[in-house]
Amino acid sequence: MPFQTRITELLKIEHPIIMGGMTGVGTPELAAAVSNAGGLGMIAIHNAGSPQEGRKWIQQLRHLTNGKPFGVNLTILPSMGPPPPYMEYAQVIIDENVPIVETAGSSPQKFVSLFKKAGIITIHKCVTIRHALSAERYGVDIISLDGFECAGHPGEDDVGNFVLQAKGSNLLT
């Protein structure tokens, strides 16, 4: 039986399960399986290799989900050389009318207003309360608090999920 929560209502999903972007394995096939099972499947657009290939992945995911909600993860990381084309990825997400975007890795500030203007629901993955409070100020719709045990996005402070979730429930709106 489907749950009814603020998350399921906002994202129009049956179960309050959100697949993270998951670098390496966040593909259209896996995301479609999650969405088709009633959760929110999400691709990591950078896994596609380029904005043009990311567009193809979004189109493939849309086809595989047959109208079910899905999302796209835009992981924003510092780089040693030229940065990835984050703004091009963001424009593809907007042009393809992606319903939900998850940002992670760095401040989403310059992307949130773009996505919100396009009517996209925004999630920001945070590993500290400080980052979550900033993301709230930027206007994201959902904060994903990820503790040290979450794997691919452990952050620098090594705070576990139980501590992070308890503190977040008291300080975030």
Side-chain angles (χ1 to χ4, degrees), residues 7 10-11 16-22 40 42 73 100-106 108 121-136 140-148 150 153-155 159-161 164-165 168-169 172-173:
I7 291 294
L10 179 63
L11 302 178
I17 297 171
I18 300 172
M19 173 186 158
M22 299 197 303
L40 181 71
M42 188 147 346
N73 168 281
I100 302 154
V101 169
E102 174 191 62
T103 54
S106 289
I121 295 169
T122 56
I123 301 170
H124 185 63
K125 188 181 296 183
C126 303
V127 295
T128 68
I129 299 299
R130 175 173 50 95
H131 295 149
L133 290 168
S134 294
E136 273 191 335
V140 301
D141 298 297
I142 299 169
I143 299 292
S144 172
L145 281 174
D146 291 1
F148 182 69
C150 90
H153 196 293
V159 177
N161 243 350
L164 197 58
Q165 300 299 325
S169 72
L172 301 169
T173 57

